Amino acid sequence: DGGITQSPKYLFRKEGQNVTLSCEQNLNHDAMYWYRQDPGQGLRLIYYSQIVNDFQKGDIAEGYSVSREKKESFPLTVTSAQKNPTAFYLCASRAVQGHTDTQYFGPGTRLTVL
Amino acid sequence: GQNIDQPTEMTATEGAIVQINCTYQTSGFNGLFWYQQHAGEAPTFLSYNVLDGLEEKGRFSSFLSRSKGYSYLLLKELQMKDSASYLCAVMDSNYQLIWGAGTKLIIKP
């Protein structure tokens, strides 16, 4: 089955620790995205990657890092520099077919920093 | 700045019709999207409008007026499973999605 997977679904970490969230897709999509969702707010873009070995900062990149060594994988590291890391993190990939251009999401990782 | 506005919460009755509005001001426009998000889950794609007019897909329809910066999502024959948040997003001139905060739809029997 084709799709986007994120692991783990729930993650708990102590303050000051770095943590890496996994995102894998087997849809052969070039572009991938990381968003953060907080209650009462719209999704906010952290980082995105249009092709392998290239990525760009989104609106709230501070305290986060990414890599894109393979087309299928786009892991996100939440560093200790991120001041308020507790949130729901969503990974997406983009499908461009004809005149349609749509992002599809993985199931998300809920990170809680204690 | 870029802005997407939609109501925070709406309530409707099972079997009825509800319209969720979205207004936007963005730098450029390359399409408007509606997503459904159940509590604790990821958003799922519902519809995409890039030209003015109404797009119908089963019980759900989406309308766009680019000149007014306005869209609505129309849900007919409401079912309890339609209780969810509905997210409006606009693709700007850089092909990035700008998101509204979402409308929580509560369906009552």
Side-chain angles (χ1 to χ4, degrees):
Chain A
D1 290 335
I4 305 171
T5 57
Q6 291 185 243
S7 61
K9 190 169 178 65
Y10 298 96
L11 190 56
F12 296 88
R13 279 294 182 269
K14 291 184 178 180
E15 194 172 337
Q17 290 181 332
N18 291 356
V19 61
T20 297
L21 311 184
S22 166
C23 178
E24 304 278 331
Q25 55 100 359
N26 60 3
L27 301 167
N28 201 35
H29 291 167
D30 288 314
M32 297 184 73
Y33 303 79
W34 273 106
Y35 292 95
R36 169 182 172 140
Q37 188 175 36
D38 295 281
Q41 298 187 39
L43 275 66
R44 291 184 290 168
L45 183 64
I46 304 172
Y47 268 98
Y48 65 100
S49 169
Q50 304 276 33
I51 56 173
V52 175
N53 292 322
D54 184 61
F55 49 83
Q56 306 293 330
K57 291 182 179 180
D59 300 320
I60 55 165
E62 185 176 351
Y64 300 97
S65 65
V66 293
S67 63
R68 187 84 187 277
E69 297 175 1
K70 298 186 300 182
K71 189 174 187 178
E72 302 79 16
S73 179
F74 190 39
L76 173 75
T77 296
V78 184
T79 75
S80 57
Q82 168 51 230
K83 295 179 181 178
N84 187 17
T86 294
F88 189 40
Y89 289 89
L90 289 159
C91 177
S93 67
R94 178 181 171 194
V96 181
Q97 292 178 330
H99 66 279
T100 62
D101 186 336
T102 306
Q103 291 186 20
Y104 295 95
F105 288 86
T109 293
R110 190 167 297 278
L111 173 65
T112 302
V113 175
L114 307 171
Chain B
Q2 307 201 92
N3 196 49
I4 310 285
D5 284 318
Q6 49 182 133
T8 302
E9 186 174 297
M10 299 182 70
T11 302
T13 304
E14 189 177 14
I17 299 173
V18 71
Q19 177 175 310
I20 303 174
N21 295 327
C22 172
T23 58
Y24 64 89
Q25 290 180 309
T26 56
S27 55
F29 179 85
N30 282 299
L32 185 141
F33 299 78
W34 285 96
Y35 284 79
Q36 182 190 59
Q37 185 177 26
H38 285 100
E41 299 181 9
T44 55
F45 171 74
L46 287 177
S47 68
Y48 167 68
N49 294 67
V50 67
L51 299 175
D52 289 352
L54 187 68
E55 294 277 346
E56 297 187 79
K57 197 184 289 187
R59 293 189 299 115
F60 292 7
S61 303
S62 56
F63 171 83
L64 174 67
S65 169
R66 288 172 297 171
S67 62
K68 295 182 179 178
Y70 168 70
S71 172
Y72 67 73
L73 180 69
L74 191 71
L75 291 74
K76 302 177 185 176
E77 301 170 13
L78 285 170
Q79 302 175 10
M80 297 304 292
K81 67 179 182 179
D82 296 331
S83 292
S85 289
Y86 291 86
L87 313 182
C88 174
V90 172
M91 185 172 283
D92 69 8
S93 56
N94 294 319
Y95 294 92
Q96 302 304 327
L97 286 179
I98 310 301
W99 295 83
T103 299
K104 183 178 180 180
L105 179 62
I106 300 168
I107 310 295
K108 295 185 174 180

